[in-house]
Amino acid sequence: MTSRSFASVIQALDGELRDAICIFYLVLRALDTLEDDMTIPLEEKVGLMKELHKNLYDPEWKYRRSQEADKIVLEEFPVISAEFRNLEKCYRDVIQEITERMANGMCKYLECTDVDSLDDWNEYCHYVAGLVGIGLSRIFSASHLEDEIVGEDEELSNSMGLFLQKTNIIRDYLADIREGRKFWPKEGWSKFAKNLEDFQYEKNMDDAIKCLNFLITNALQHVPDVIKYLSRLRNQSVFNFCAIPQVMAIGTLAICYNNRDVFKTVVKLRKGQAVYMMRRAVTLNACKMIFHEFAVEITKNVPMNDTSKDETRKICETILMLSHIKDSGSSYLPSMLSASSIVLFTALWYYYSGSEEVFRFS
């Protein structure tokens, strides 16, 4: 309804996952639309967001006063909720719980103009992305396409979401600043500037780069969890769905690292490079190779005078160790791709080409 490309990605999933994840996406899109709509008074918005999970069982509930571009998910919510009620109970329970938890977390940050500490940054990213990872993982396990441990290990699922969200936040510095949003944690940037906006200006570029590298180093701490999570997946369509955004994320961090263009323009992977990565990232070993390559690239670009250089090298060494594979001469590509994999690559390509985000579910 709100993203034809993402709808195509979901269609590449196997079995009952297609419907469950599609509804999960639409419900969270409705929640996100309420959050983003600045025309709704704060008190009313909080009430709407905190009640949305209950309204999944109200056949008549809808909201017609939104001014957001995606307002259709609120105006046609009875269609979404009807399909929700058609899902198996195991999926309904996950979607309702995650919607409630996410709404409560989002409401906490509605009146915040800054993300203060690194702990706050982790918490904010947990509410808007980590919970999505947790919900997806529980849906994967509920479908019996993945083992129970995938859905039970919330720490790894949360890291999957945090890695993607932090990548978006880091890369989108300039766009967010221009729109009056501040998602870089104050505990990090205040070491290098009086105001977060100061990093836009050439005279502050050295300090801006140091802060950028500090935050990228923080985001890279999630990669060991990402590799462990991917190693547990057994279903090919689930693996593709999870792995491709993760390798795109580390690729994006690699081109952002020590790159002053982050403060001047939109920094993205080259289209040809993005397509090549999407086609490669269909096995665990292939993904490890990609993580390995970008960890090497980041390590080579660590400046001698960077304040985070020791921490950056340490986490890159850990990634290199975890991503090491014995037969480095193999491409680790499957001998042939399934039709669903081809659909997935095509959809993700259009999704990536038309979006400035590596991946953002909500």
Side-chain angles (χ1 to χ4, degrees):
M1 291 174 72
T2 65
S3 172
R4 288 188 296 270
S5 55
F6 198 78
S8 298
V9 173
I10 292 173
Q11 288 174 15
L13 291 165
D14 290 340
E16 296 177 348
L17 284 178
R18 284 190 293 270
D19 290 343
I21 291 179
C22 179
I23 297 305
F24 188 36
Y25 167 75
L26 291 173
V27 171
L28 297 189
R29 178 58 63 194
L31 180 64
D32 195 53
T33 302
L34 289 171
E35 182 199 27
D36 288 343
D37 195 330
M38 302 309 294
T39 68
I40 305 175
L42 181 61
E43 185 176 352
E44 180 185 3
K45 179 185 292 191
V46 169
L48 288 168
M49 292 174 65
K50 289 190 173 184
E51 292 293 313
L52 188 66
H53 72 285
K54 297 179 182 178
N55 289 327
L56 286 166
Y57 284 100
D58 182 350
E60 305 298 325
W61 188 87
K62 59 186 144 186
Y63 186 78
R64 292 192 174 275
R65 298 195 299 276
S66 176
Q67 303 301 312
E68 286 294 296
D70 290 338
K71 63 183 179 179
I72 188 172
V73 294
L74 297 171
E75 295 174 343
E76 300 295 334
F77 199 78
V79 177
I80 297 171
S81 65
E83 292 302 322
F84 165 82
R85 293 188 297 276
N86 286 333
L87 295 174
E88 295 291 335
K89 184 177 184 300
C90 59
Y91 301 129
R92 297 199 310 270
D93 289 348
V94 172
I95 293 170
Q96 188 176 38
E97 178 191 331
I98 296 299
T99 302
E100 181 181 15
R101 290 169 66 181
M102 185 176 290
N104 290 334
M106 285 179 166
C107 288
K108 180 178 178 179
Y109 284 89
L110 280 178
E111 293 186 279
C112 294
T113 56
D114 292 293
V115 177
D116 289 326
S117 68
L118 290 171
D119 286 341
D120 290 337
W121 199 36
N122 285 331
E123 182 181 63
Y124 172 77
C125 291
H126 164 73
Y127 286 135
V128 301
L131 283 172
V132 179
I134 290 169
L136 286 171
S137 298
R138 288 172 59 184
I139 290 173
F140 297 154
S141 293
S143 71
H144 301 297
L145 292 175
E146 297 296 346
D147 296 336
E148 289 184 5
I149 187 62
V150 172
E152 291 172 349
D153 194 336
E154 291 198 358
E155 183 176 351
L156 290 192
S157 300
N158 188 59
S159 263
M160 292 280 284
L162 264 61
F163 185 54
L164 299 179
Q165 188 69 17
K166 287 181 178 182
T167 298
N168 286 326
I169 288 172
I170 291 167
R171 198 276 309 279
D172 291 344
Y173 165 85
L174 189 62
D176 286 336
I177 287 295
R178 287 176 174 174
E179 295 184 21
R181 301 191 298 259
K182 298 180 182 180
F183 295 121
W184 282 26
K186 189 173 183 178
E187 182 182 338
W189 63 257
S190 62
K191 298 176 182 178
F192 306 98
K194 291 183 178 180
N195 300 291
L196 183 56
E197 297 88 341
D198 294 345
F199 290 151
Q200 301 174 81
Y201 309 120
E202 185 64 33
K203 65 180 181 179
N204 301 317
M205 196 54 61
D206 288 346
D207 286 330
I209 292 294
K210 289 176 182 177
C211 183
L212 172 67
N213 293 348
F214 171 79
L215 293 181
I216 289 176
T217 300
N218 177 283
L220 289 172
Q221 305 298 323
H222 298 290
V223 173
D225 283 346
V226 170
I227 293 173
K228 186 174 182 179
Y229 182 96
L230 295 177
S231 72
R232 290 176 171 173
L233 300 179
R234 300 291 176 262
N235 178 269
Q236 186 66 58
S237 74
V238 171
F239 185 90
N240 295 348
F241 184 85
C242 296
I244 293 175
Q246 300 291 336
V247 298
M248 298 287 280
I250 195 169
T252 298
L253 290 182
I255 61 170
C256 286
Y257 185 80
N258 211 49
N259 187 350
R260 61 180 52 228
D261 286 346
V262 171
F263 304 98
K264 298 180 178 181
T265 186
V266 176
V267 176
K268 296 179 69 171
L269 291 163
R270 297 188 309 275
K271 292 182 178 181
Q273 184 181 20
V275 172
Y276 178 64
M277 288 168 59
M278 290 175 191
R279 295 190 63 184
R280 288 179 67 193
V282 294
T283 68
L284 179 62
N285 279 346
C287 289
K288 283 184 175 182
M289 289 179 69
I290 295 172
F291 281 116
H292 194 279
E293 290 163 7
F294 284 120
V296 169
E297 182 177 332
I298 291 171
T299 301
K300 288 180 178 178
N301 290 328
V302 175
M304 289 299 297
N305 65 343
D306 191 81
T307 54
S308 305
K309 63 180 185 299
D310 292 338
E311 291 84 359
T312 307
R313 288 171 178 155
K314 183 178 178 180
I315 185 57
C316 283
E317 287 173 4
T318 299
I319 295 170
L320 290 172
M321 179 185 68
L322 293 173
S323 61
H324 175 74
I325 49 181
K326 293 181 180 179
D327 184 7
S328 59
S330 172
S331 67
Y332 295 93
L333 290 171
S335 58
M336 61 184 298
L337 298 176
S338 67
S340 63
S341 294
I342 294 172
V343 170
L344 182 66
F345 298 145
T346 304
L348 279 170
W349 163 238
Y350 283 111
Y351 178 70
Y352 181 76
S353 299
S355 171
E356 293 184 357
E357 296 174 349
V358 174
F359 177 82
R360 186 170 287 168
F361 204 103
S362 168

